[in-house]
């Protein structure tokens, strides 16, 4: 039970909190709801409940708060760590049961990467390196009186200015001894802090440990000063204030990520090597290097990239001649001279990029974790760094490494599909989801139907516009990488622009591929992609003709309009009407959506009475084209 504070104690506590806020050391958190019930709930969550998505109690409270419209309660649960993941049943339950859009938008803003601290998986991996035994990735052994620590030089260099200077002067150092006056417990606390871990509440002093708690605190103060990490001592002195502790931890994790990012840029990216592909495996990089790398990752440029950089033909070109000091012995070594080629038609050597990397960070990938934990050749220690080829381009591999080292995934839309395939290859689930988010958000544009964006005098946007994404590749990528979000996005994208794709042969091939994904297909089986397209097509027009009978109502209205027309208008042909409307010089087959003299043109070029009539006709036209496509492909759906 939490003891009640006296009035004077409460006033002192509020005064100290106000002073911390004024000094900028504590952020002001003033919930919108200041009622006693809300404060009680806030106290219960912070002191008793575990706000975790796997907790049945929290899930029930989360769902009820969302359903009943308690915005402040939902916000409090999210800030306390409750998860709202859209790919889980509980997350979808809270999202679709939300009482209003305000709560729904709040839940959406706390996506999978925001429902908890987005850097928590990154910090947890760094901390786990202190206790990981398999695979062994440490390269520095620090010994104390009765304890030893297996550490990583690159992390110490990134986090401590002292270690950065010491290790840069002597990178070959493999061991270090702690002075006997420094308690091992104090050094352990310092290393856990450097590895983005939390400061333990119990520092480890007392009877049987050889050091008192005061001696451990004094040791931490010395280490904090010696290693030039002043925030370590501040974190120890912060006391039991959970609010201040949580804020300081968030700031320190973000600071640690920034330090590792700067170290990654200045050492890994700066020291990447570009060589000829045929010579890439011959590169020798000593294991004792100044950036403490223990593996090389190789990425080859594609033929298209090399062709784009091919220089113009030069008649003065002299073919390369192999030069080697080793005996030939009848075995060709290195590239042979191609005398049969015309000198003016030279092909430059393909290029590869070698990235120095650290196995400790690559372990965030299940692919590398399995590789380095097994008896594979890549897991063995050698005098020179092992070279591991990765099936992607250098730009994509650099993006993957940036994510593994910094948790950042900033890449343009045109790289997203390649990043998705690379993440799937290397089994990096979080990067896969981030790539899917980039594709489904940046690639959807306004999601407005193409017909709604057109006016007379403008051309229909082509499906092959170079600025658009290749939606066929996106859908196939969703199938191959098992990302339902991309499959749904592809179906919605096609449905909202169906008139641009329905007549293309590649669209027909995509439908055939979707049908072929069902093993032992029967005539009664549907086509998943086509079902999704039909659903989003009906959503696009917001019409449910089968249920509402709106089509029959519109047909009656059209007949009524025809009967009310003057005889002179009935005798006139539609050709004259088309000529009168086409003020911009286009013929009657224009597929725009003019709205002149109160008339709107449908997809087949006919005049509709109003927008609703146009939607009805367009909807039926597109459904008819789908049926015709199925008949042509001899598919039942």
């Amino acid at each position: 039970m939490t003891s009640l504070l006296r009035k004077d104690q409460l006033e002192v506590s509020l005064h100290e909190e106000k002073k911390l806020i004024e000094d900028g050391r504590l952020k002001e958190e003033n919930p919108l709801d200041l009622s006693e019930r809300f404060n009680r709930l806030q106290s219960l969550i912070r002191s008793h409940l575990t706000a975790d998505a796997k907790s049945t109690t929290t899930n029930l409270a989360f769902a009820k708060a969302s359903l009943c419209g308690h915005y402040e309660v939902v916000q409090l649960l999210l800030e306390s760590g409750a998860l709202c993941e859209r790919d889980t049943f509980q997350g979808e339950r809270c999202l679709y049961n939300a009482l209003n859009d305000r709560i729904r938008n709040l839940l959406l803003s706390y996506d999978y990467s925001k429902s908890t601290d987005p850097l928590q998986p990154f910090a947890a991996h760094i901390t786990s390196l202190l206790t990981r035994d398999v695979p062994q990735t440490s390269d520095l052994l620090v010994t104390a009186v009765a304890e030893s620590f297996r550490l990583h030089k690159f992390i110490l260099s990134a986090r401590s200015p002292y270690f950065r200077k010491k290790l840069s002067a002597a990178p070959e150092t493999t061991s270090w001894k702690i002075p006997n006056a420094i308690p091992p417990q104090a050094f352990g606390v310092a290393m856990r802090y450097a590895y983005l871990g939390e400061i333990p509440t119990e520092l480890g002093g007392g009877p049987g440990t050889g050091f008192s708690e005061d001696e451990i605190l004094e040791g931490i103060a010395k280490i904090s000063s010696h290693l030039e990490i002043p925030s370590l001592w501040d974190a120890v002195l912060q006391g039991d204030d959970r609010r201040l502790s949580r804020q300081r931890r968030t700031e320190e994790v973000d600071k640690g990520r920034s330090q590792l990012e700067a170290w990654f840029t200045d050492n890994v990216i700066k020291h990447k090597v570009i060589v000829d592909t045929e010579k890439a495996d011959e590169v020798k990089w000593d294991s004792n290097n100044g950036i403490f790398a223990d593996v090389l990752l190789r990425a080859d440029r594609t033929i298209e990239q090399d062709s784009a950089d091919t220089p113009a033909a030069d008649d003065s070109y002299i073919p390369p001649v192999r030069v080697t000091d080793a005996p030939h012995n009848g075995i060709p070594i290195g590239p042979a001279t191609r005398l049969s080629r015309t000198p003016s038609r030279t092909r430059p050597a393909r290029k590869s990029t070698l990235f120095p990397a650290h196995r400790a960070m690559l372990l965030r990938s299940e692919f590398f974790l399995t590789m380095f934990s097994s008896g594979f050749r890549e897991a063995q220690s050698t005098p020179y760094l092992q070279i591991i080829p990765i099936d992607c381009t250098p730009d994509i591999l650099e993006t993957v490494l940036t994510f593994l080292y910094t948790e950042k995934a900033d890449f343009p839309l045109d790289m997203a599909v390649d990043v998705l395939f690379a993440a799937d290859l290397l089994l990096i689930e979080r990067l896969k989801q981030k790539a899917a988010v980039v594709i489904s958000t940046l690639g959807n544009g306004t999601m407005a139907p193409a017909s709604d964006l057109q006016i007379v005098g403008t051309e229909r946007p082509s499906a092959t516009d170079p600025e658009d994404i290749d939606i066929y590749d996106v859908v196939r990528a969703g199938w191959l990488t098992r990302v339902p979000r991309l499959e749904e996005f592809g179906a919605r994208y096609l449905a909202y622009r169906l008139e641009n794709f329905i007549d293309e042969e590649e669209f027909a091939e995509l439908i055939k591929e979707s049908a072929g994904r069902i093993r032992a297909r029967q005539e009664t089986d549907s086509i998943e992609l086509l079902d999704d397209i039909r659903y989003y097509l009906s959503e696009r027009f917001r019409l449910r003709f089968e249920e509402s009978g709106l089509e029959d109502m519109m047909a009656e209205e059209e007949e009524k309009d025809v009967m009310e027309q003057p005889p002179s208008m009935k005798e006139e042909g539609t050709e004259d009407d088309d000529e009168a409307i086409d003020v911009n010089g286009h013929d009657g087959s224009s597929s725009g959506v003019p709205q002149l003299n109160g008339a709107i043109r449908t997809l087949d070029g006919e005049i509709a009475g109003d927008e609703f009539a146009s939607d009805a006709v367009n909807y039926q036209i597109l459904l008819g084209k789908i049926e015709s496509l199925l008949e042509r492909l001899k598919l039942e759906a």
Side-chain angles (χ1 to χ4, degrees):
M1 292 292 293
T2 304
S3 59
L4 297 177
L5 297 178
R6 299 192 309 271
K7 182 178 180 181
D8 59 322
Q9 293 176 328
L10 182 60
E11 290 177 349
V12 170
S13 176
L14 292 176
H15 177 72
E16 292 177 351
E17 179 178 329
K18 182 179 179 181
K19 186 176 181 181
L20 288 174
I21 293 175
E22 291 177 350
D23 294 341
R25 299 175 58 191
L26 183 65
K27 295 181 181 178
E28 184 175 8
E29 296 178 0
N30 183 23
L32 300 178
D33 192 345
L34 300 176
S35 64
E36 181 181 354
R37 293 179 61 189
F38 183 76
N39 290 335
R40 182 184 175 191
L41 173 64
Q42 189 177 27
S43 176
L44 285 173
I45 289 177
R46 290 181 175 175
S47 58
H48 295 84
L49 294 181
T50 301
D52 191 349
K54 297 180 181 179
S55 169
T56 306
T57 305
T58 307
N59 274 336
L60 182 61
F62 205 5
K64 286 190 174 182
S66 175
L67 178 64
C68 298
H70 297 304
Y71 180 89
E72 293 81 6
V73 176
V74 173
Q75 186 178 33
L76 177 61
L77 288 169
L78 289 171
E79 291 177 350
S80 300
L83 299 179
C84 181
E85 297 180 299
R86 300 189 62 181
D87 294 334
T88 63
F89 170 75
Q90 296 295 345
E92 295 286 357
R93 176 187 180 190
C94 296
L95 182 63
Y96 288 104
N97 286 347
L99 182 65
N100 50 50
D101 289 338
R102 188 183 179 207
I103 293 180
R104 186 174 295 107
N105 292 334
L106 175 65
L107 295 175
L108 290 175
S109 67
Y110 279 81
D111 204 353
Y112 70 93
S113 61
K114 296 183 179 179
S115 53
T116 57
D117 184 355
L119 296 178
Q120 181 58 35
F122 175 77
H125 172 77
I126 299 295
T127 306
S128 69
L129 295 176
L130 286 171
T131 56
R132 184 185 292 275
D133 294 328
V134 179
Q136 185 59 249
T137 58
S138 63
D139 52 5
L140 179 64
L141 180 63
V142 179
T143 57
V145 178
E147 194 171 353
S148 60
F149 303 89
R150 294 187 177 274
L151 306 175
H152 303 77
K153 296 179 186 178
F154 78 96
I155 294 180
L156 298 178
S157 298
R159 294 282 285 150
S160 168
Y162 169 81
F163 276 115
R164 186 180 307 120
K165 289 180 289 187
K166 286 290 184 181
L167 293 174
S168 62
E172 70 281 356
T173 303
T174 58
S175 62
W176 190 52
K177 183 174 176 56
I178 303 175
N180 294 335
I182 301 295
Q185 297 90 335
F187 188 79
V189 171
M191 289 301 98
R192 183 171 179 83
Y193 183 81
Y195 276 66
L196 305 182
E198 296 187 32
I199 299 294
T201 55
E202 299 293 336
L203 299 179
T209 62
F211 297 93
S212 65
E213 188 169 346
D214 290 340
E215 290 175 328
I216 293 177
L217 285 173
E218 183 180 354
I220 293 177
K222 291 181 179 179
I223 293 175
S224 176
S225 175
H226 192 66
L227 300 184
E228 303 179 39
I229 310 178
S231 56
L232 167 62
W233 182 240
D234 295 337
V236 174
L237 295 179
Q238 67 188 3
D240 298 330
D241 190 334
R242 298 184 61 187
R243 179 178 166 189
L244 183 60
S245 176
R246 185 175 67 250
Q247 176 183 319
R248 187 182 295 276
R249 161 125 179 104
T250 301
E251 293 173 351
E252 185 58 32
V253 170
D254 185 66
K255 176 184 176 183
R257 186 207 60 78
S258 299
Q259 290 174 331
L260 283 170
E261 180 183 6
W263 197 93
F264 167 75
T265 304
D266 295 338
N267 293 272
V268 175
I269 299 301
K270 184 179 180 180
H271 290 88
K272 66 181 179 181
V273 179
I274 301 177
V275 297
D276 293 343
T277 299
E278 55 191 8
K279 298 180 180 179
D281 292 334
E282 302 174 5
V283 173
K284 304 296 183 182
W285 196 309
D286 197 292
S287 297
N288 295 322
N289 53 80
I291 60 175
F292 322 117
D294 52 9
V295 69
L296 291 175
L297 300 184
R298 166 186 162 184
D300 302 334
R301 300 191 64 183
T302 62
I303 298 177
E304 291 78 8
Q305 289 176 326
D306 288 328
S307 299
D309 296 339
T310 301
D314 186 1
D315 293 337
S316 62
Y317 171 79
I318 301 177
V321 178
R322 185 176 66 231
V323 178
T324 177
D325 296 332
H328 291 269
N329 295 330
I331 302 176
I333 302 176
T337 304
R338 301 174 180 177
L339 299 178
S340 60
R341 287 192 178 273
T342 305
S344 61
R345 298 177 58 188
T346 59
R347 293 186 181 182
R350 291 186 61 188
K351 297 295 183 180
S352 298
T353 303
L354 299 177
F355 292 89
H358 306 81
R359 300 186 185 190
M361 299 307 298
L362 298 182
L363 294 184
R364 297 190 64 197
S365 161
E366 291 291 335
F367 175 86
F368 289 113
L369 176 60
T370 303
M371 175 184 290
F372 298 143
S373 302
S374 64
F376 295 153
R377 176 177 61 86
E378 290 81 1
Q380 309 304 319
S381 298
T382 57
Y384 300 102
L385 300 186
Q386 299 268 13
I387 299 177
I388 303 176
I390 306 298
D391 187 15
C392 65
T393 62
D395 292 341
I396 301 302
L397 182 56
E398 183 173 332
T399 300
V400 172
L401 288 176
T402 302
F403 175 78
L404 293 178
Y405 276 83
T406 68
E407 195 68 16
K408 281 190 174 182
D410 301 327
F411 47 87
L413 178 61
D414 56 357
M415 290 176 56
V417 175
D418 292 329
V419 172
L420 176 72
F421 278 115
D424 184 64
L425 170 69
L426 300 176
L427 304 179
I428 310 175
E429 195 62 30
R430 284 176 61 82
L431 184 57
K432 272 179 62 176
Q433 297 300 327
K434 287 180 179 291
V437 169
V438 170
I439 295 172
S440 58
T441 53
L442 298 182
N444 64 353
T446 60
M447 256 319 174
S451 58
D452 292 347
L453 301 177
Q454 286 186 288
I455 58 174
V456 174
T458 63
E459 296 181 359
R460 179 182 299 275
S462 172
T464 59
D465 191 335
E467 296 181 357
D468 294 341
I469 62 172
D470 191 333
I471 192 61
Y472 301 121
D473 287 346
V474 170
V475 174
R476 293 186 177 101
W479 291 341
L480 294 174
T481 58
R482 304 166 302 282
V483 180
R485 179 174 190 148
L486 291 185
E487 298 180 32
E488 297 172 2
F489 163 73
R492 187 165 182 256
Y493 188 98
L494 290 170
Y496 274 69
R497 299 162 174 82
L498 188 58
E499 55 270 30
N500 292 344
F501 297 96
I502 188 67
D503 297 324
E504 293 186 354
E505 189 61 32
E506 193 169 359
F507 179 81
E509 290 295 329
L510 193 68
I511 297 299
K512 289 177 64 176
E513 291 179 27
S514 179
R517 297 181 69 228
I518 301 178
R519 296 182 179 179
R521 178 178 174 78
Q522 305 296 323
E523 292 184 357
T524 55
D525 291 332
S526 63
I527 301 176
E528 183 180 6
L529 177 60
L530 206 55
D531 289 344
D532 292 341
I533 290 176
R534 283 170 170 162
Y535 170 78
Y536 288 117
L537 192 64
S538 62
E539 178 189 83
R540 166 183 167 181
F541 290 104
R542 300 189 180 97
L543 295 174
R544 304 286 183 177
F545 299 105
E546 294 83 0
E547 299 178 2
S548 63
L550 188 57
E551 184 180 9
D552 297 334
M553 296 171 56
M554 289 185 173
E556 294 177 1
E557 291 292 334
E558 290 178 358
E559 293 179 0
K560 183 177 179 181
D561 292 340
V562 171
M563 295 298 296
E564 293 178 354
Q565 287 181 356
S568 58
M569 293 184 62
K570 294 181 182 180
E571 294 175 0
E572 294 179 359
T574 57
E575 296 180 358
D576 295 335
D577 294 337
D578 290 344
E579 293 177 359
I581 291 175
D582 191 7
V583 296
N584 287 318
H586 289 267
D587 55 18
S589 61
S590 173
S591 57
V593 188
Q595 190 168 355
L596 301 176
N597 300 328
I600 297 177
R601 193 181 298 277
T602 61
L603 291 175
D604 58 357
E606 299 296 331
I607 299 298
D610 54 26
E611 184 178 352
F612 293 103
S614 172
D615 284 347
V617 175
N618 292 340
Y619 183 66
Q620 295 301 328
I621 289 174
L622 294 176
L623 288 181
K625 287 191 174 184
I626 291 177
E627 296 301 328
S628 300
L629 176 62
L630 291 175
E631 292 179 3
R632 181 164 62 88
L633 298 177
K634 298 180 180 180
L635 293 174
E636 295 290 340

